[in-house]
Amino acid sequence: MTQIVSLAAARARPPNQSGDPTAFAYWSLADFSTDSTEDWLSAAIAGTPHEGMAISIWAHQPTLKKATSRLAEYITPRWPSQDGQSLLCKSIAEAVSRSTTAINNREAFIGRLVGVYLYGLTQYVADVARLSISGVDRNGDLQRWQHFAEPLKPWAEKHGIDTICAQLSHPGPTEVQVVGLHAHMVAHVADPIDTGYLIKHASKG
């Protein structure tokens, strides 16, 4: 039975995990036309147990806040994880959780802290890979968004797309494709020095 991917709320229902190509949902560009990435980040942590820690990490490591903001530009708050949560919210929670664990384990030197944060932030890349994004442009032609080639909202605006279609990829991504997309993701959201910390100090979490 086909389930519909609902991207209209932060805690969206998960799409059909069978890879049914008829499972899809629509985003209206107007839904996030007035919000900034700063608004998206604030909303993603508001009222959560890790709100204070996230604010502290971002204040002391501004490049990590920038990486989180870049991720938000690519996936927006609408992108759902497989368990139905907002992928942005879930990624931030994972990043902060791993950073907190590092601090509690007395591994709070900059390289380790930055590395585990980025590891957590990019941990759910498979949830990005499983969806394909498209839209009809101002000329009536179908345009497809390439993962992390450019931020989603500016891409839609450039083509005159007012409604974005999110659809389960069929067949789903292979393990090799997910690994490749992870490298692509890190390269586009993280500072090069921070990427070095990730590789050196947190390549396996």
Side-chain angles (χ1 to χ4, degrees):
M1 180 177 179
T2 300
Q3 296 177 337
I4 301 300
V5 184
S6 173
L7 302 178
R11 293 187 175 274
R13 286 184 66 190
N16 184 349
Q17 296 179 17
S18 67
D20 187 337
T22 63
F24 62 91
Y26 295 105
W27 282 327
S28 170
L29 196 64
D31 289 345
F32 27 73
S33 61
T34 60
D35 295 333
S36 66
T37 52
E38 186 74 27
D39 295 329
W40 291 347
L41 297 193
S42 296
I45 63 173
T48 64
H50 55 270
E51 180 177 6
M53 181 60 74
I55 292 172
S56 177
I57 290 172
W58 293 344
H60 287 90
Q61 301 294 334
T63 58
L64 293 182
K65 183 174 184 180
K66 190 171 183 179
T68 310
S69 181
R70 285 174 177 163
L71 177 62
E73 290 175 348
Y74 286 112
I75 65 174
T76 82
R78 305 299 189 194
W79 202 291
S81 63
Q82 290 194 47
D83 62 7
Q85 299 182 55
S86 162
L87 186 56
L88 178 62
C89 294
K90 189 172 181 178
S91 298
I92 293 173
E94 183 70 20
V96 175
S97 174
R98 287 177 179 271
S99 298
T100 301
T101 298
I103 292 170
N104 292 340
N105 290 341
R106 299 186 179 183
E107 300 174 339
F109 62 93
I110 291 178
R112 177 64 176 166
L113 184 65
V114 170
V116 295
Y117 183 98
L118 288 178
Y119 186 95
L121 189 68
T122 60
Q123 177 72 10
Y124 300 107
V125 64
D127 285 355
V128 179
R130 72 195 182 99
L131 291 185
S132 63
I133 302 295
S134 62
V136 177
D137 66 18
R138 62 176 62 88
N139 298 316
D141 297 322
L142 183 66
Q143 300 290 338
R144 295 192 180 278
W145 182 72
Q146 300 299 315
H147 292 84
F148 299 107
E150 58 186 310
L152 186 54
K153 179 181 168 184
W155 167 81
E157 291 174 335
K158 178 179 70 177
H159 291 291
I161 296 170
D162 57 19
T163 302
I164 297 169
C165 179
Q167 187 172 13
L168 282 171
S169 298
H170 184 71
T174 65
E175 183 176 348
V176 171
Q177 288 172 326
V178 171
V179 170
L181 185 59
H182 181 263
H184 196 52
M185 180 183 190
V186 171
H188 280 78
V189 304
D191 177 274
I193 293 177
D194 289 354
T195 299
Y197 288 144
L198 169 62
I199 295 170
K200 184 176 182 178
H201 298 294
S203 62
K204 297 183 180 179

